[in-house]
Amino acid sequence: MRRRPLAAALLAAAVLLTACESGSDSGPDDRGNPRSPRSAGPREETRRDGAELLHRPGGRASAQNPAFSPDGSSLLFTVFHDGYNAGAAALRTLPLGGARRQAAPRTLLDESDRAAVNLPGTSWNPSAGVTFASDRAGRDEVWVLRPGGRPERVTEHDGDTGYLEPSFSPDGRWIAFQESKESQKSTEREDGSGGDGSLWKVRRDGTGRTRLVDGPGTHTDNRQPNWSPAGDRLVFQRRRQGSDEWRLYVMDADGGGLRELPVQGDGEHTDPSWSPDGKWVVFSSTAGGLELPQIFAVPVTGGRPVRVTRHDSSYDGAPSWSPDGKWIAFESHPGGEDRPSALWRVPAPRG
């Protein structure tokens, strides 16, 4: 996903964006409310692989898609109210303090019976705000929420497709996103071939919409584009029609220079985003014959992946690298079924 001015500007953007959130913590009488942002259960929890629990929502709610603020002081994430990828969804932010015990999350956008979903990685830009996909206008479109402002619509289109998984370029002028048929957003075809998602970019003001990858024309399914920190490349996941094997790809920001990012070892590779120095890609994978995906990192030139999380009984996915390079945040839930997820972080590998 995407990317960096001076520290003071980053902090100001984070503060301004936080100011537009529906600030106060929930009271004790709404712990059973699935829309309450309060965490459930113990806060101080670690795993044997060194991962630390950041936030576990209560009830059926599922916390997903963590994305660091530009200054690293908080996390943007999506909470699905009715389970993993299920039902209406809200955008929330989680302040990250120095102590392990974190503050309660704050609601950024929560509209009844609508889904607002961010992409893990660089969906929070210091000058342009937060970008997300939402069906608040009837179909999935790309939106932005500027610091201190209200949601602004970026795209408007006809047909049976949805615009999803948007991410900002580092300068905040462009947004990359995927186009998928509405029926393919979260389901597979009966023949196992998946969808045929295309990748686009558009200016922040809605002009200059340009297709970068033609999914139907290339018989491929392309998803989750993330900008490099330098703004010159995009990383994304791709599979060919008739295959259920996801691979990582990199291309230039104009759609040229397409190449597979070679990851040694068998497995499915998904959810890619960049390290802050642009030298590594972090992703979720079953590399090495794992039954459940774990978090890995690989040099952008390819090679043998470095395993980051080691908790074989849990699904670990949707990773994001912190701006200071020290942490990787991710979503996780026990077992292989689509159960509600919690947010965790783990120390990043040292390059």
Side-chain angles (χ1 to χ4, degrees):
M1 313 176 191
R2 317 44 133 162
R3 319 331 129 199
R4 196 133 342 225
L6 297 174
L10 297 179
L11 180 58
V15 170
L16 284 171
L17 186 55
T18 302
C20 77
E21 299 161 3
S22 63
S24 61
D25 297 345
S26 301
D29 58 339
D30 57 16
R31 288 179 183 267
N33 182 352
R35 292 185 179 271
S36 168
R38 182 177 292 276
S39 298
R43 291 285 190 85
E44 297 187 10
E45 183 177 334
T46 60
R47 304 191 318 195
R48 286 189 295 179
D49 60 0
E52 302 174 357
L53 177 67
L54 295 177
H55 173 60
R56 176 180 286 126
R60 303 184 307 273
S62 182
Q64 301 174 214
N65 304 343
F68 281 94
S69 64
D71 67 352
S73 66
S74 57
L75 279 178
L76 169 72
F77 67 98
T78 298
V79 59
F80 287 89
H81 295 303
D82 295 324
Y84 192 83
N85 283 344
L91 298 178
R92 290 180 181 162
T93 60
L94 180 69
L96 301 175
R100 186 180 302 165
R101 184 178 179 86
Q102 305 295 337
R106 298 170 177 175
T107 297
L108 189 60
L109 181 66
D110 190 355
E111 298 173 310
S112 178
D113 299 324
R114 297 297 181 184
V117 182
N118 72 284
L119 181 67
T122 52
S123 50
W124 191 341
N125 182 271
S127 60
V130 164
T131 184
F132 61 98
S134 176
D135 59 354
R136 64 196 311 268
R139 73 170 70 247
D140 284 303
E141 301 281 3
V142 175
W143 296 75
V144 296
L145 184 57
R146 288 182 180 272
R150 297 181 60 82
E152 300 175 26
R153 187 170 176 171
V154 177
T155 62
E156 184 172 358
H157 74 291
D158 298 319
D160 62 349
T161 63
Y163 287 176
L164 308 163
E165 312 284 11
S167 65
F168 271 121
S169 62
D171 60 11
R173 296 175 57 190
W174 289 90
I175 298 172
F177 62 93
Q178 79 182 49
E179 178 186 22
S180 298
K181 289 187 177 180
E182 293 290 335
S183 61
Q184 296 168 354
K185 287 192 297 182
S186 60
T187 61
E188 305 298 319
R189 293 175 175 169
E190 291 183 1
D191 62 5
S193 61
D196 49 8
S198 297
L199 300 183
W200 296 74
K201 69 177 181 180
V202 65
R203 289 192 182 94
R204 162 64 187 79
D205 63 6
T207 64
R209 187 176 61 178
T210 304
R211 186 164 58 188
L212 302 174
V213 178
D214 181 356
T218 57
H219 306 290
T220 58
D221 190 8
N222 307 273
R223 304 189 188 186
Q224 299 191 6
N226 253 304
W227 291 87
S228 67
D232 58 340
R233 290 175 294 178
L234 291 158
V235 66
F236 60 99
Q237 65 185 61
R238 163 185 266 201
R239 63 180 172 183
R240 297 200 170 274
Q241 287 183 5
S243 172
D244 59 359
E245 296 183 357
W246 290 102
R247 295 290 182 259
L248 305 184
Y249 278 76
V250 177
M251 66 179 171
D252 298 337
D254 63 1
L258 178 67
R259 67 176 180 86
E260 183 175 355
L261 199 168
V263 179
Q264 293 182 12
D266 295 332
E268 288 190 40
H269 317 311
T270 62
D271 301 342
S273 60
W274 300 82
S275 64
D277 61 7
K279 296 180 179 179
W280 291 78
V281 168
V282 64
F283 60 104
S284 180
S285 177
T286 55
L290 294 171
E291 289 190 15
L292 298 176
Q294 299 285 284
I295 306 301
F296 288 80
V298 68
V300 72
T301 54
R304 183 177 299 278
V306 176
R307 186 169 175 180
V308 178
T309 61
R310 296 180 177 275
H311 202 253
D312 291 353
S313 62
S314 294
Y315 150 80
D316 294 345
S320 294
W321 215 306
S322 65
D324 62 8
K326 296 180 179 179
W327 296 97
I328 292 172
F330 61 98
E331 65 185 38
S332 181
H333 60 70
E337 299 179 3
D338 287 344
R339 301 174 181 175
S341 291
L343 302 181
W344 296 73
R345 69 178 181 182
V346 66
R350 297 185 180 273

